[in-house]
Amino acid sequence: MYLALLELKAARGRFLLMGSVVVLVAALVGVVSGFTTGLGDDTTSALRRLPATHLAFASGTDSDQFARSLVDPAALDGWRTRRGVEATPLGVSIDRGTTDRRTEVDFAAFGVEPGSFIDPGATSGAPLAAGTPSGVVVSQALVDEGVRIGDTLTVDRLGIGLKVTGTTGRSAYGHVPVLYVPAETWLGLRFTVPGSHSATSALPRQYSAVALRVRPGADLAAADQALGTHTITVRDAFAAAPGYTGERVTMTSIQAFLYVIAPLVVGAFFAVWTVQRREELALLRALGASRRRLLGHTLAQAAAVVGAGTAAGAVLAEGVGLLVGADVPFSLPATGLTAAMATVALVGLAGTAVTLRKVTTVDPMTMLGAAR
């Protein structure tokens, strides 16, 4: 170990260069992890926060369910009578509106029954109420965009006015802040034709899905067959959020390539470094150093370079997150950062495996003779 540290000091320029590469790779992995988590949360956080276990969509909608699915009242009533299941309607649509203070916002309208188990309540102001059909609760993300309690939000093209009565936690769907609206009012947002003034009672009573809270033993397959629905878990429904699957595949692919690059770069450096000091390794063998000690010597150097570089990369990734986190979807929790950095360190150390055979097979007599 002492000799390994002496070599690090003697060739500090080379090791600093290699360490800088590890820092950049580790930081890039951390940043990509932050964007992966942030984009995923900005796409599906409203679904993640639903206190439901499953969602029942109309049959035949195997993709883009929230946009294509319409569950009729008979299916909703049928789910409500199933044993071991709590059911409530859920409507999802994306709209745009302007407040009476001229603040323009895009929002994802989540239609829920006031008082149901998916009603988000309110952290400030008043929650949804059946007696106030125009009252809505907005997520913190809309508050950040300038929407305030007491504002009247007029939906573009439809002219429907929504009164902001309360706020709740930060929720988004498809990178759009969520607005919670009574289910009956959501029917107007979904089915009203621009320019018409149809009464709510004349609109189709169909919803995007039925939110379910399922207890053990409930037969979901039999219910789907009887009611003409297609039930999946809430987590499986994330793929129905706009852009979720494509973003996930793209960011995960970038991470995978970085995990491949790290061991190749580290392995190439230590392979060259081992070749350059073959005479020194041969001399150590001639002086009685065991193969185990030479292996420990090599691994100590690799661990020092990779460990220090990874730690510095983690700090750099956190700094980037603090710099851009307010402007772009970026989330890098401690657990995610630790897992990403641990993976970088492990694959980086794995890259040194290509040098171990050269270290253990050094022939002191041959190398010393070749050096004359």
Side-chain angles (χ1 to χ4, degrees):
M1 183 66 183
Y2 179 68
L3 182 59
L5 295 178
L6 285 180
E7 284 193 341
L8 286 174
K9 183 178 179 180
R12 55 183 175 272
R14 299 178 185 179
F15 284 104
L16 283 174
L17 179 60
M18 183 58 215
S20 299
V21 175
V22 176
V23 169
L24 294 177
V25 172
L28 189 54
V29 169
V31 170
V32 171
S33 297
F35 281 124
T36 302
T37 304
L39 288 170
D41 195 52
D42 201 48
T43 304
T44 63
S45 59
L47 299 178
R48 293 177 190 273
R49 290 170 173 77
L50 280 179
T53 59
H54 295 74
L55 293 173
F57 296 97
S59 61
T61 54
D62 297 328
S63 63
D64 199 18
Q65 290 98 325
F66 289 107
R68 299 175 57 196
S69 172
L70 288 175
V71 180
D72 58 43
L76 173 61
D77 294 339
W79 274 110
R80 282 174 164 163
T81 61
R82 304 297 296 191
R83 180 176 299 177
V85 175
E86 291 181 73
T88 186
L90 172 66
V92 177
S93 60
I94 296 179
D95 294 285
R96 182 174 177 82
T98 306
T99 68
D100 47 7
R101 294 185 295 107
R102 312 309 302 172
T103 300
E104 298 182 358
V105 294
D106 295 309
F107 61 89
F110 271 45
V112 302
E113 287 187 338
S116 67
F117 65 86
I118 62 172
D119 184 346
T123 56
S124 62
L128 299 177
T132 311
S134 63
V136 298
V137 172
V138 299
S139 71
Q140 185 60 41
L142 280 173
V143 175
D144 295 342
E145 294 186 13
V147 179
R148 300 289 182 266
I149 294 177
D151 286 353
T152 297
L153 180 63
T154 302
V155 181
D156 290 357
R157 300 179 302 107
L158 303 180
I160 298 175
L162 305 172
K163 186 74 171 180
V164 179
T165 62
T167 66
T168 186
R170 184 177 298 275
S171 296
Y173 170 78
H175 303 301
V176 180
V178 169
L179 175 151
Y180 295 92
V181 60
E184 296 299 311
T185 306
W186 179 84
L187 296 176
L189 300 180
R190 177 66 174 80
F191 296 109
T192 297
V193 177
S196 69
H197 300 281
S198 302
T200 303
S201 58
L203 298 173
R205 304 186 67 80
Q206 296 176 316
Y207 301 93
S208 302
V210 179
L212 307 174
R213 191 153 61 182
V214 179
R215 291 186 290 273
D219 191 346
L220 300 182
D224 279 337
Q225 186 174 4
L227 303 175
T229 56
H230 172 62
T231 301
I232 58 177
T233 65
V234 172
R235 177 166 292 277
D236 289 340
F238 292 170
Y244 177 80
T245 301
E247 291 171 356
R248 198 77 177 176
V249 170
T250 300
M251 302 307 288
T252 303
S253 299
I254 295 174
Q255 280 185 291
F257 277 114
L258 290 173
Y259 289 141
V260 172
I261 290 170
L264 292 178
V265 172
V266 175
F269 172 82
F270 278 98
V272 173
W273 176 245
T274 301
V275 170
Q276 290 178 338
R277 61 194 183 101
R278 285 182 301 177
E279 288 78 8
E280 288 85 349
L281 293 174
L283 180 59
L284 289 173
R285 287 286 291 125
L287 292 175
S290 64
R291 289 187 175 89
R292 179 178 299 179
R293 178 160 294 186
L294 291 183
L295 283 176
H297 169 266
T298 302
L299 291 175
Q301 288 181 337
V305 173
V306 174
T310 302
V315 174
L316 182 57
E318 281 284 6
V320 172
L322 293 175
L323 184 64
V324 304
D327 301 317
V328 298
F330 188 94
S331 177
L332 191 57
T335 53
L337 179 61
T338 301
M341 294 302 102
T343 305
V344 171
L346 288 174
V347 298
L349 290 174
T352 63
V354 299
T355 68
L356 299 183
R357 184 175 180 277
K358 293 182 179 296
V359 172
T360 57
T361 57
V362 166
D363 186 344
M365 299 304 297
T366 301
M367 294 306 298
L368 289 174
R372 292 174 183 170

